[in-house]
Amino acid sequence: MMNFQNAQFILSAARPGDFPSDGLPQVVFAGRSNVGKSSVINCLLGRRNLARVGSSPGKTAHVNYFKIDGRFYFVDLPGYGYAKVSRQEKDRWRALVGAYFADPSRVALGILVVDARHKPTEDDRLMASWFQETGRPFVVAANKTDKLSASELAPALSLIAETLELEEASLLPFSARTGTSREVLLSRINICLSKP
């Protein structure tokens, strides 16, 4: 089993030439700017502020790498879909993330973080398709389930699964605040990393 608390920030890649090429497996996180992606990463690592939680959306502009237990990376892709970001910045985001996905072998597991309270956006659908096209394992973490009642949760998850065309096993109800499904997602990560 991996020691997920043994985690350190390694680098923030502003261009494809900065991506590490050491061959370590990469668990890749993507999501909209305000979806709580950094909070999900911190929750999984049992750390409060390793991945920076921005006071305003759109703060993660680079591809951030965290080395876990010296054996693999958590990769935090820049958030997308924030309206106040300039067209030039959106184009830069698309080019950087596109370059990342140009080599699918980088991805050991893709984790798309969405907001459980809302229907996934077109940007979410695009990101899901990028993950699916890698042919690598892929999970959607529906974050902020703590903000839904028990009666609201099942319909919300059904809408996400239908919009993103997911198999049931690919969707996890998650809460970075309460830790809901934390152990399940850590188990998925362990399983993917243990495969040859």
Side-chain angles (χ1 to χ4, degrees):
M1 294 286 284
M2 311 288 181
N3 179 5
F4 285 88
Q5 291 189 322
N6 179 14
Q8 60 183 129
F9 173 75
I10 299 298
L11 67 90
S12 190
R15 55 192 180 83
D18 298 332
F19 297 161
S21 56
D22 54 13
L24 290 179
Q26 299 180 16
V27 177
V28 187
F29 294 81
R32 279 183 297 140
S33 297
N34 59 349
V35 78
K37 180 163 49 75
S38 296
S39 297
V40 169
I41 292 172
N42 288 329
C43 171
L44 291 171
L45 298 178
R47 304 279 286 273
R48 289 191 75 164
N49 296 308
L50 187 64
R52 291 187 184 155
V53 180
S55 56
S56 61
K59 287 271 183 168
T60 308
H62 302 128
V63 179
N64 292 323
Y65 288 81
F66 305 88
K67 189 175 281 186
I68 316 299
D69 208 19
R71 298 159 73 180
F72 66 97
Y73 292 106
F74 271 9
V75 180
D76 184 10
L77 297 180
Y80 54 82
Y82 188 53
K84 291 185 181 178
V85 173
S86 69
R87 177 61 185 267
Q88 182 179 3
E89 184 63 18
K90 288 179 181 176
D91 289 344
R92 194 193 69 79
W93 173 89
R94 186 178 284 264
L96 185 63
V97 175
Y100 182 87
F101 279 103
D103 182 0
S105 68
R106 293 186 223 273
V107 183
L109 172 67
I111 300 174
L112 176 61
V113 182
V114 300
D115 190 326
R117 301 168 299 171
H118 304 297
K119 181 178 179 178
T121 65
E122 282 304 310
D123 287 331
D124 290 325
R125 286 170 57 95
L126 173 63
M127 184 54 69
S129 71
W130 279 8
F131 273 127
Q132 289 161 336
E133 285 167 12
T134 67
R136 309 297 292 163
F138 167 58
V139 174
V140 174
N143 192 30
K144 305 186 181 182
T145 55
D146 55 283
K147 297 176 187 275
L148 293 173
S149 69
S151 62
E152 292 170 328
L153 182 58
L157 294 176
S158 293
L159 180 61
I160 292 167
E162 180 182 332
T163 304
L164 298 179
E165 300 177 5
L166 299 173
E167 298 175 9
E168 189 175 334
S170 299
L171 179 61
L172 285 179
F174 198 91
S175 170
R177 190 177 72 81
T178 66
T180 299
S181 293
R182 176 181 183 268
E183 295 303 320
V184 177
L185 189 48
L186 288 176
S187 175
R188 295 272 184 98
I189 294 169
N190 269 310
I191 289 168
C192 281
L193 294 174
S194 65
K195 290 178 180 175

